């Protein structure tokens, strides 16, 4: 039967991203980027409470190794969580935390993106 072979195809993208996140031999930046993508693709708009929890883990993990870029990304993701759940004041708070860190590291593209998120709330 043709359909019985379908489940044997390769990993899904989510499985691949999760695999990078849990692989301690990967560089932290690779792990953090994969985990952030995993949160966005699998949870942020479908199960936002889980996304919030995972973004907190991402933030704590990035802070533990002083990865300011990934701390800022995690704060931005948390801000999106609050925007998605109609908690605009909290969203702006986390977006501003993200921008503060991005200013420290000179991430102009990240700042522009996060300012766009703030603009969406005010719109």
């Amino acid at each position: 039967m043709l359909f019985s072979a379908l489940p044997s195809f390769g990993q899904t993208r989510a499985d691949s991203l999760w695999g990078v996140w849990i692989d301690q031999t990967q560089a932290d930046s690779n792990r953090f980027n994969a985990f952030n993508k995993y949160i966005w693709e699998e949870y942020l708009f479908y199960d936002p409470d889980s996304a919030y929890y995972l973004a907190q883990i991402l933030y704590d993990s990035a802070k533990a190794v002083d990865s300011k870029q990934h701390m800022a990304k995690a704060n931005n993701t948390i801000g999106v969580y609050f925007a998605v759940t109609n908690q605009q004041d909290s969203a702006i708070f986390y977006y501003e935390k993200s921008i503060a860190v991005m200013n420290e590291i000179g991430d102009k593209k990240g700042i522009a993106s996060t300012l766009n998120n703030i603009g969406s709330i005010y719109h």
Side-chain angles (χ1 to χ4, degrees), residues 32-78:
F32 297 153
N33 284 331
F35 196 39
N36 194 50
K37 286 179 187 175
Y38 178 77
I39 295 166
W40 275 78
E41 292 179 9
E42 294 298 311
Y43 292 98
L44 196 53
F45 300 103
Y46 311 107
D47 184 1
D49 291 338
S50 294
Y52 175 77
Y53 174 77
L54 295 173
Q56 292 275 347
I57 292 171
L58 176 59
Y59 179 85
D60 292 343
S61 298
K63 186 175 181 180
V65 296
D66 197 35
S67 176
K68 292 187 186 296
Q69 177 186 22
H70 294 94
M71 290 166 56
K73 285 183 179 183
N75 277 330
N76 183 64
T77 301
I78 293 169

